Amino acid sequence: SAGSAAVTGNGLVSYTGITEPITDDLVASDRVFSYTGALETIELKASALAGFDLQVDSNQGMQIEFTNPTNSLEIKTTAGTGADTVNINSVPATYRSSIRITENADDLFNLSTDLVLGSASSDGDFAVTGPHTLRMFKSIYTPDTDATIDLQADELWLYEDLTAGGSIGSPPRNARGIRISPCRGPRCTRRVGIRHAPSTCSITPSGWARARP
C-alpha cells in the first residue's frame, strides 16, 4: 500500500510497500483521511487495539488505528473516481468530536451506529456532502447550541431520530429545495415529524422515510 501523512508543523511523509496496519497515537485536534482509489469501500469503526480508539480501513488502502481527535474527523473520497462507499459502523463511547464526510456525486454513505456528539473541545457538528445516496440507519444526538446536522445528497433515507441543539439542514445539491416524505411500503405510514423545541431541532421518522428533491 502507498500513501502519505501530513502533520501540522512537519513535512509530508510518504510511504509505499507497507503491508502491516498503521498505528497513530498522536494527540490531534483534527484528523482528515483522503482516499484516491476507484470503487473504494471505506469503513470507520471502534478499534479493538489497546490504546487506540478508532480504526479506518479501505479495500484499497491500509488499515489505520488511531486515537480520537479532540475537535473533528473528516473522510474524503473526492480525489478518487467511481462509486465509493463510506460506512460508519461503530465508534467508542468516548467519541464526541464533529464528523464530516465529503464524497462525489455517485457515492454512497451509510451510518450504522448511534452517535452522541459534542464536548468542551468540539461543537459536535455532523455533515455529509456530495453522495448520491445517504442512508441514516441510526440516530444522531448533538445538543450543543452551536451544533448543526447538515445532510446533502440526491437521496436521503432516514430510519432514526436526528437531534441538534443548533440546526438541521438537508438541501439537495441542486438547491431546488427538499421535501421529506414517507417511502412506499408497509413500514411507512406517516410523514416525518419535524419538531422545534426551545433548545433543539429534531427530525423523527415513523419507521423510515425518504427525502427527495
Side-chain angles (χ1 to χ4, degrees), residues 24-35:
D24 176 2
D25 61 359
L26 291 174
V27 177
S29 172
D30 305 287
R31 292 185 179 275
V32 180
F33 296 93
S34 183
Y35 292 88

Side-chain angles (χ1 to χ4, degrees), residues 132 153-156 170-181 210-213:
H132 179 272
D154 288 332
E155 291 189 358
L156 168 61
S170 57
R173 288 192 309 276
N174 60 18
R176 288 192 295 141
I178 199 165
R179 62 188 176 88
I180 300 177
S181 60
R210 181 183 183 183
R212 297 171 296 183

Side-chain angles (χ1 to χ4, degrees), residues 19-190:
T19 58
E20 297 295 322
I22 297 170
T23 57
D24 176 2
D25 61 359
L26 291 174
V27 177
S29 172
D30 305 287
R31 292 185 179 275
V32 180
F33 296 93
S34 183
Y35 292 88
T36 61
L39 301 173
E40 268 190 286
T41 297
I42 300 148
E43 178 189 21
L44 178 72
K45 66 180 183 179
S47 175
L49 188 63
F52 296 87
D53 301 303
L54 288 161
Q55 176 194 105
V56 65
D57 198 5
S58 163
N59 62 339
Q60 297 186 35
M62 285 306 304
Q63 174 182 308
I64 304 173
E65 311 281 344
F66 61 99
T67 54
N68 288 335
T70 58
N71 181 56
S72 70
L73 170 66
E74 182 173 7
I75 295 175
K76 303 171 67 175
T77 64
T78 50
T81 58
D84 301 317
T85 299
V86 176
N87 300 311
I88 298 183
N89 289 335
S90 63
V91 296
T94 56
Y95 189 87
R96 291 290 185 271
S97 298
S98 297
I99 295 175
R100 173 173 289 278
I101 309 297
T102 307
E103 296 186 275
N104 287 319
D106 52 0
D107 291 352
L108 168 67
F109 172 78
N110 296 308
L111 176 67
S112 300
T113 186
D114 294 320
L115 296 176
V116 178
L117 304 178
S119 68
S121 59
S122 176
D123 288 341
D125 298 331
F126 183 89
V128 181
T129 304
H132 179 272
T133 304
L134 196 168
R135 300 189 295 192
M136 309 293 287
F137 294 110
K138 293 295 184 177
S139 67
I140 300 176
Y141 178 71
T142 179
D144 190 281
T145 55
D146 292 324
T148 63
I149 298 174
D150 186 20
L151 308 175
Q152 300 187 34
D154 288 332
E155 291 189 358
L156 168 61
W157 292 82
L158 298 177
Y159 293 74
E160 299 289 344
D161 294 0
L162 306 178
T163 303
S167 64
I168 298 176
S170 57
R173 288 192 309 276
N174 60 18
R176 288 192 295 141
I178 199 165
R179 62 188 176 88
I180 300 177
S181 60
C183 61
R184 293 177 174 84
R187 294 181 59 200
C188 301
T189 58
R190 292 175 293 178

